[in-house]
Amino acid sequence: MSTIAGGIFTSHVPGIGQAIAKGLKQDPYWKPFFDGWHTVHDWLKREKPDVLVCFYNDHGLNFFLDKLPTFAIGAADGYRHEDEGWGISGYKPYPGMPELSWHIIEQVVHDEFDPTMCQKMLVDHALAIPVEMAWPDEEESWPFKLVPIAINTVQYPLPSPKRCFEFGRSVGRALESWPGDEKIVVMGTGGLSHQLEGERAGHINIEYDTFCMDNLSRDPEALLQHSSLDIAELAGSQGVEILNWIAARGAMRGSVTELSRNYHIPISNTAAATMLLENHETVLA
């Protein structure tokens, strides 16, 4: 049977891609963030996951305000990154695993979720940059197959944290019941607190960010006490990307341990964070 080895939770600030392209990893502005990835790299080299299931939010590449699904699951043979205006194009294509994608889709529909099923799908910086951060030395091809899952964090009304957590639980049930022997890692991208526009541009809430990081492994349901509107007030209009973290954490249904944490402010008006959680066992609930 397949196993969920762990989860990676991180920011997806477009400027990170620019820093990589310009060789600025050791620049004092960027170094504290990049240094937070060393444990992740060592863990991935040890675990060697076969599959990446990534929860992220699309920034107008596949979906725009006129047509924006709450949940969308990629079920393609492969995925291509396409730059949506940040000047960070050129990432390698990502091999898909459509048979696993359809297995997940069948499970979440059975659990009364209604995802958009995407047999063609592009991915933007919200997926490409975290993957590049996690596997920086893969020059020819990626060592995993990808299942991309996009969550609406842009157009209101947004799904609630509880809805996203239960959606992640449903995805986790699908991963646990998958009959293959693949080792799987989940990823949640975005945030933490930040707001890029309006009177509160530059808003960062260290207290809320710390609350999220403290509870992500030990008590993820503590993150469900706030509505999506509450989170926008607490963490800024783009801080609601924590919904991606919440869904990814929901997919980890075993005994979870925090292996590393890094928090650095600011990067492009964003509280940038990286966390690594290990999943020790599965449950059958």
Side-chain angles (χ1 to χ4, degrees), residues 2-115:
S2 61
T3 58
I4 304 172
I8 302 167
F9 304 80
T10 189
S11 305
H12 61 225
V13 179
I16 298 169
Q18 292 282 12
I20 295 171
K22 295 178 180 179
L24 300 177
K25 291 182 180 181
Q26 297 302 309
D27 184 272
Y29 182 82
W30 293 103
K31 188 176 187 301
F33 175 74
F34 282 92
D35 284 350
W37 281 87
H38 298 322
T39 302
V40 178
H41 296 155
D42 292 343
W43 183 82
L44 286 171
K45 289 176 182 177
R46 183 180 77 241
E47 294 296 326
K48 295 181 174 60
D50 306 292
V51 176
L52 171 65
V53 178
C54 184
F55 297 82
Y56 72 107
N57 56 288
D58 182 86
H59 294 79
L61 184 60
N62 290 282
F63 316 112
F64 199 60
L65 302 184
D66 57 342
K67 298 180 183 67
L68 211 166
T70 299
F71 302 113
I73 300 176
D77 291 325
Y79 307 90
R80 187 180 79 251
H81 167 261
E82 197 161 292
D83 178 42
E84 72 276 34
W86 298 105
I88 50 175
S89 60
Y91 292 115
K92 299 181 289 294
Y94 308 88
M97 192 173 180
E99 61 274 25
L100 176 57
S101 294
W102 285 111
H103 179 74
I104 293 170
I105 290 167
E106 288 174 0
Q107 177 68 58
V108 301
V109 171
H110 177 269
D111 291 338
E112 300 187 347
F113 291 92
D114 305 299

Side-chain angles (χ1 to χ4, degrees), residues 37-281:
W37 281 87
H38 298 322
T39 302
V40 178
H41 296 155
D42 292 343
W43 183 82
L44 286 171
K45 289 176 182 177
R46 183 180 77 241
E47 294 296 326
K48 295 181 174 60
D50 306 292
V51 176
L52 171 65
V53 178
C54 184
F55 297 82
Y56 72 107
N57 56 288
D58 182 86
H59 294 79
L61 184 60
N62 290 282
F63 316 112
F64 199 60
L65 302 184
D66 57 342
K67 298 180 183 67
L68 211 166
T70 299
F71 302 113
I73 300 176
D77 291 325
Y79 307 90
R80 187 180 79 251
H81 167 261
E82 197 161 292
D83 178 42
E84 72 276 34
W86 298 105
I88 50 175
S89 60
Y91 292 115
K92 299 181 289 294
Y94 308 88
M97 192 173 180
E99 61 274 25
L100 176 57
S101 294
W102 285 111
H103 179 74
I104 293 170
I105 290 167
E106 288 174 0
Q107 177 68 58
V108 301
V109 171
H110 177 269
D111 291 338
E112 300 187 347
F113 291 92
D114 305 299
T116 297
M117 298 162 276
C118 302
Q119 298 185 64
K120 292 183 180 179
M121 193 173 186
L122 299 170
V123 296
D124 66 18
H125 73 271
L127 186 147
I129 287 175
V131 169
E132 186 73 24
M133 292 292 301
W135 287 273
D137 300 323
E138 303 296 335
E139 296 183 359
E140 299 298 326
S141 60
W142 301 112
F144 56 81
K145 292 184 177 180
L146 173 68
V147 177
I149 302 179
I151 298 177
N152 171 31
T153 69
V154 176
Q155 173 81 327
Y156 286 80
L158 304 180
S160 69
K162 183 177 185 298
R163 183 72 170 163
C164 291
F165 187 72
E166 292 301 328
F167 176 73
R169 282 289 197 230
S170 182
V171 172
R173 282 191 286 274
L175 298 179
E176 290 170 3
S177 65
W178 175 246
D181 60 358
E182 289 84 3
K183 185 176 287 186
I184 300 167
V185 62
V186 299
M187 179 181 280
T189 86
L192 290 173
S193 64
H194 62 301
Q195 180 156 326
L196 304 180
E197 75 293 308
E199 295 181 359
R200 291 207 308 164
H203 173 78
I204 290 176
N205 186 338
I206 297 174
E207 182 179 357
Y208 178 73
D209 293 341
T210 302
F211 162 80
C212 290
M213 292 186 290
D214 285 347
N215 286 289
L216 191 67
S217 63
R218 68 190 185 197
D219 185 18
E221 294 190 33
L223 278 64
L224 312 185
Q225 65 184 273
H226 303 110
S227 69
S228 294
L229 289 173
D230 291 336
I231 294 174
E233 180 66 27
L234 287 164
S237 54
Q238 283 76 43
V240 294
E241 290 172 349
I242 192 68
L243 295 176
N244 302 323
W245 287 39
I246 290 170
R249 176 61 181 88
M252 301 174 64
R253 300 181 348 112
S255 174
V256 174
T257 300
E258 179 183 324
L259 296 186
S260 70
R261 176 195 305 194
N262 181 58
Y263 183 71
H264 177 55
I265 56 175
I267 291 178
S268 184
N269 285 340
T270 301
T274 303
M275 296 187 70
L276 173 63
L277 306 185
E278 191 164 57
N279 201 50
H280 295 286
E281 60 187 37

